[in-house]
Amino acid sequence: MPNTREARVAEQIQQIVARMITTKLKDPRLGMVTVTDVRVSGDLQHATVYYTVLGSEQDAARTARALESAKGLIRSAVGKGVGLRLTPTIEFELDRIPEHSRSIEDALMAARAHDARVRSMAQGAAFAGEADPYKKPRETDASDTDGYASDTDGYDG
């Protein structure tokens, strides 16, 4: 996001929400939460807070419930900290990027292993045909000056 007003407001909201989660919220359902990104609508009326949770899916579900129950308190702090005329609504969204990156890393590791198998199979391999499989132009007779085939090629034109 370029350095626009939306980007500055999103950065402020991210800092306020992260500070609220670490210092003010004492909910035991909160896990190890990291606020990864905040996206704000163009009219600054809606903010989506993306977060990750260290742990299992159950930890993520508990944290989601805790954040939903503290949404009013967090929105109030955002309203005081950002200083806009209208406080944006807040929506929390679990960030799935770490899971996607893990699956991409697994796919890359599988591709590397497959490439290594193919390389080991190709080490002792030889070409199936000649060393130079490309067709070469026909050699012409010295008496053939125009470079075209003679009249004996079967054309009755």
Side-chain angles (χ1 to χ4, degrees):
M1 205 181 302
N3 193 11
T4 62
R5 185 168 186 209
E6 291 91 11
R8 290 190 306 268
V9 169
E11 185 177 332
Q12 283 181 322
I13 291 174
Q14 182 175 0
Q15 291 172 0
I16 292 168
V17 170
R19 194 176 320 116
M20 284 291 296
I21 289 173
T22 57
T23 61
K24 302 284 186 200
L25 297 181
K26 302 297 181 193
D27 196 332
R29 296 176 294 179
L30 277 176
M32 295 291 293
V33 179
T34 303
V35 178
T36 57
D37 193 19
V38 174
R39 297 202 181 140
V40 179
S41 64
D43 60 357
L44 305 176
Q45 293 301 302
H46 182 73
T48 304
V49 178
Y50 293 92
Y51 66 95
T52 58
V53 178
L54 184 65
S56 66
E57 288 293 322
Q58 295 158 345
D59 294 334
R62 282 193 297 261
T63 299
R65 287 192 300 274
L67 289 173
E68 283 298 317
S69 69
K71 187 185 285 189
L73 183 65
I74 293 172
R75 185 171 183 233
S76 174
V78 166
K80 290 176 188 172
V82 174
L84 295 173
R85 184 172 62 90
L86 297 172
T87 303
T89 59
I90 305 257
E91 178 184 347
F92 291 100
E93 186 80 27
L94 183 62
D95 197 354
R96 300 284 181 186
I97 289 177
E99 295 171 8
H100 292 304
S101 65
R102 197 171 314 125
S103 67
I104 290 171
E105 286 178 18
D106 292 343
L108 288 173
M109 286 177 51
R112 283 187 200 109
H114 177 70
D115 288 348
R117 282 195 306 271
V118 168
R119 235 183 330 245
S120 68
M121 290 170 44
Q123 279 182 348
F127 291 107
E130 300 174 16
D132 188 12
Y134 299 105
K135 291 183 178 181
K136 295 189 177 41
R138 253 188 318 179
E139 294 183 17
T140 57
D141 294 337
S143 63
D144 190 17
T145 58
D146 61 357
Y148 291 106
S150 64
D151 290 325
T152 58
D153 62 354
Y155 180 69
D156 291 328

